[in-house]
Amino acid sequence: MPIPLRPGLIVLAIVVFLAALLLVLAAATYIRARTIEAAYPNTGTLTDVGGYRLNALHVPAGPNADLPPIVFIHGASGNLRDQAGAFLAPLEGRAEMLFVDRPGHGYSERGGPENDFPDGQARAIARLMELKGIDRAIIVGHSFGGAITASFGVLFPDKTAGLLFLAAATHPWPGGVDWYYHLASTPIIGPIFCHTLALHAGMARLDAATSHVFAPNARSQTYADDTGPALVLRPSTFEANATDVANLLDYVTRFAPRYREIDKPTVVITGDSDEIVLEEIHSRGLARDIAGSELVWVKGLGHKPDYVATDLVIAAIETLAGKPRDLQAMARTLEPTLAASIALSPSQ
C-alpha cells in the first residue's frame, strides 16, 4: 500500500531541489567566469581614484604626435578592449590615449553608489585623467558612453578639448529597457540571477547579440575573440551593467537639459540604421542642444561607427583638433560601400 506524501514534505523536497540546483549553477558560473578571465586577462593598469581602483590602458604619445590627448569611453556590456580594438593601432603615436574600463566593467572596481549614474562615472574618469597627468582631452563616447561623455562636458569643461559622440544614448526615449536589466539590478533577486543563470544564458547568445549590435553592418568574425564581451557576463560586472542601463532613462531625463551648457567643439556621428538606440532622438537631440556641434548622419550605418566607419571617426577627432576635414563628404563617400555590403549580406 503506497504511503501518501504529506504536502509539507513535498514542499521541503522542492525547496531542497531548487537550493541544490542554484548551488550547482553558482558553482558552474564561478568556474566559467574564471575561464573567461583567463581568456581575456587585464591589459590595463589599476589606479586608485579615491577608495576604489579604475582600470585603464594608458598609451603615451609618440615624438611626432599631432593630436591632443584622447579618452575613450566604452558603451554598455563593453570594456576597454572594444575601443582599443578600433582605435589603438590607427592612432598609436599620434596622441596620448586613455582607454578606460568604466566603474564595475572590465577590470575596474565599481566604487560607491555614485557610480550607478553617468555623472559619477564622469567624475571617476576626470580623477583618473588627473592622476595620469592629462589636463585636457578629446572625450570619445560610444553608446552608453555617450551619456558619460555629455556629463563630462557639462561638469568638466576645463578638462574638455572636444567631444565626439558615436551612436550615443543621451536623451529620454519612449519605453524602457529589456526586462533582465531590471531583474539583475533588483536587490536579493538580482544577485541570485547574476550568480546562477545570467552567464550561461548570455554565453548561449553571445554570437547573436554581438552580431545584432553591428546590424545591419557585418561584424568581424574575430570581434568577440578580440574584444572580450564575455567579460560582462561575470556576476558582479553583469549586475553593474544592468544597474547602469536600468538607471539611464531617469538620469538623462533630469540631466539632458544641461547639455545646453556645453560650449566645446562637438561632433555627433550616427547612422540611420541603428538597431540599438533611437538615433533620431539621441543624436539629433545632441545636435540640437549643443550649440555649434556637427551632426554626421550616415545612411546604412548601424550602432558601431567605431568599427564600421573608423576612418570617419578618426577624421572627426582630427576636426576636433582643429584640422580641416570634410566629414559630410566622407559620409557620402562611405554610404555606397555600406549599401553594397548590406545587399551582399547573407542575412538580407
Side-chain angles (χ1 to χ4, degrees), residues 29 33-34 36-37 74-80 101-110 116 121 181 184-185 190-191 194-195 198-199 228-245:
T29 293
R34 301 293 79 78
I36 290 170
E37 289 178 342
H74 66 80
S77 304
N79 64 82
L80 67 80
D101 275 338
R102 296 194 289 104
H105 296 258
Y107 285 90
S108 285
E109 296 171 352
R110 181 63 169 179
D116 291 348
Q121 297 192 25
Y181 290 119
S185 59
C194 293
H195 281 83
L199 186 149
L231 286 167
V232 76
L233 299 174
R234 296 168 300 165
S236 62
T237 311
F238 195 87
E239 186 174 354
N241 186 64
T243 300
D244 288 349
V245 176

Side-chain angles (χ1 to χ4, degrees), residues 224-311:
D225 292 334
D226 294 339
T227 62
L231 286 167
V232 76
L233 299 174
R234 296 168 300 165
S236 62
T237 311
F238 195 87
E239 186 174 354
N241 186 64
T243 300
D244 288 349
V245 176
N247 287 343
L248 183 61
L249 179 56
D250 286 344
Y251 175 81
V252 296
T253 299
R254 61 180 172 82
F255 196 88
R258 295 195 62 184
Y259 299 162
R260 294 180 176 87
E261 300 174 27
I262 296 173
D263 61 358
K264 302 300 180 183
T266 299
V267 175
V268 181
I269 296 179
T270 193
D272 71 344
S273 302
D274 193 330
E275 297 185 5
I276 305 300
V277 303
L278 298 171
E279 69 279 355
E280 66 273 14
I281 291 177
H282 302 282
S283 293
R284 289 198 187 280
L286 286 167
R288 177 195 65 231
D289 294 342
I290 302 176
S293 60
E294 180 175 2
L295 174 62
V296 185
W297 188 274
V298 186
K299 294 180 180 179
L301 178 63
H303 192 60
K304 293 293 283 178
D306 42 356
Y307 280 82
V308 178
T310 309
D311 289 346

Side-chain angles (χ1 to χ4, degrees), residues 129-165:
M129 287 173 58
E130 293 173 359
L131 294 170
K132 296 296 184 181
I134 301 174
D135 295 328
R136 296 172 72 246
I138 293 173
I139 312 298
V140 181
H142 172 249
S143 192
F144 186 98
I148 299 168
T149 298
S151 300
F152 192 100
V154 171
L155 299 172
F156 300 100
D158 293 343
K159 296 182 183 297
T160 304
L163 301 172
L164 177 54
F165 296 91

